[in-house]
Amino acid sequence: MYKELDEILVTEQQIRMRTHELGKEISDTYGDEEISVISIVNGAIIFTADLLRTITSPVRLDCIRVSSYGNSTTPETAPEILDNMRLDLAGRHVLIVDDILDTGKTISKVVDVITKQNPASIRSCMLLEKIGTREVVYQSDFVGFSIPNKFVVGYGLDFAGRYRNIPVIGVLKEKLQTVAV
Ligand code: 5GP
Ligand code: MG
């Protein structure tokens, strides 16, 4: 057990196995077509790194940084693009990779930005999706795990920048969900 966590929702082995399945689903979908992967950082860094190595289709990678939760466990403001990707996506098959689908606002914002570049297609792959929290209607094409509405950390997911290196996905202890600098 990890001292920061109340509960483990997804183990290392489950992550590894599901990531390989997702890589196969994605490779079967795109075949030999090149995929332009856009990773929403920082949260999706670790998932993206592992997922890419399970994809057999040709891949280009870029990142986009979207304003996140800051130092809280609930979104405070509408997401904004803080650092845009550099790849030209016109006519390309774009696969957005993110750590977790919650209200749906982040992915909707990123889809809007990418749509303006006239890509050939846009899909997304989410490591996690929370059940019953959507404020914007959005369905991801590839989903790792559905989880209850709890604040989770680990495997790239943070609270105030911390806990990304925990190798499992778990519920952060309540007493740690207050900002300590
Ligand atoms: P949405 O815009 O869909 O509400 O939220 C998506 C973003 O919020 C994710 O990319 C992630 O950064 C953050 N997020 C949502 N739920 C959680 C959570 O339970 N834990 C952490 N660490 N981040 C979350
Ligand atoms: Mg994120």
Side-chain angles (χ1 to χ4, degrees):
M1 195 52 184
Y2 296 85
K3 63 182 188 308
E4 302 88 352
L5 303 180
D6 263 341
E7 185 189 349
I8 294 176
L9 295 185
V10 193
T11 65
E12 282 187 80
Q13 196 194 357
Q14 288 172 321
I15 295 171
R16 204 176 313 119
M17 285 177 58
R18 187 72 189 117
T19 301
H20 274 86
E21 289 171 3
L22 288 170
K24 182 161 188 335
E25 282 178 43
I26 291 168
S27 307
D28 288 347
T29 301
Y30 292 94
D32 293 333
E33 300 258 31
E34 187 180 71
I35 313 170
S36 297
V37 172
I38 303 296
S39 175
I40 306 182
V41 296
N42 295 327
I45 282 186
I46 294 175
F47 176 48
T48 304
D50 285 342
L51 179 69
L52 280 199
R53 285 174 284 181
T54 68
I55 296 175
T56 52
S57 308
V59 158
R60 300 192 303 166
L61 172 66
D62 203 352
C63 299
I64 189 168
R65 185 182 302 270
V66 183
S67 63
S68 68
Y69 283 19
N71 290 338
S72 101
T73 58
T74 48
E76 284 153 1
T77 51
E80 277 173 64
I81 307 298
L82 301 179
D83 191 7
N84 216 328
M85 63 251 158
R86 314 280 193 274
L87 280 185
D88 180 4
L89 301 177
R92 304 295 185 148
H93 294 289
V94 177
L95 178 66
I96 305 165
V97 177
D98 201 6
D99 51 5
I100 185 164
L101 178 61
D102 185 14
T103 65
K105 289 179 182 171
T106 302
I107 185 70
S108 303
K109 177 76 189 181
V110 172
V111 167
D112 281 352
V113 170
I114 291 173
T115 302
K116 293 200 177 95
Q117 288 205 38
N118 289 317
S121 66
I122 307 180
R123 291 187 180 88
S124 69
C125 177
M126 299 281 173
L127 172 64
L128 304 167
E129 71 172 4
K130 281 189 186 169
I131 300 161
T133 58
R134 229 67 74 237
E135 292 174 26
V136 179
V137 179
Y138 184 81
Q139 193 125 36
S140 186
D141 302 270
F142 309 97
V143 177
F145 304 92
S146 296
I147 61 164
N149 186 15
K150 296 180 175 182
F151 190 79
V152 294
V153 296
Y155 197 67
L157 290 109
D158 73 311
F159 172 66
R162 301 198 172 90
Y163 315 116
R164 295 192 198 274
N165 57 323
I166 296 174
V168 301
I169 293 158
V171 180
L172 184 63
K173 280 193 175 151
E174 193 105 29
K175 66 170 191 217
L176 295 175
Q177 293 188 23
T178 49
V179 187
V181 183

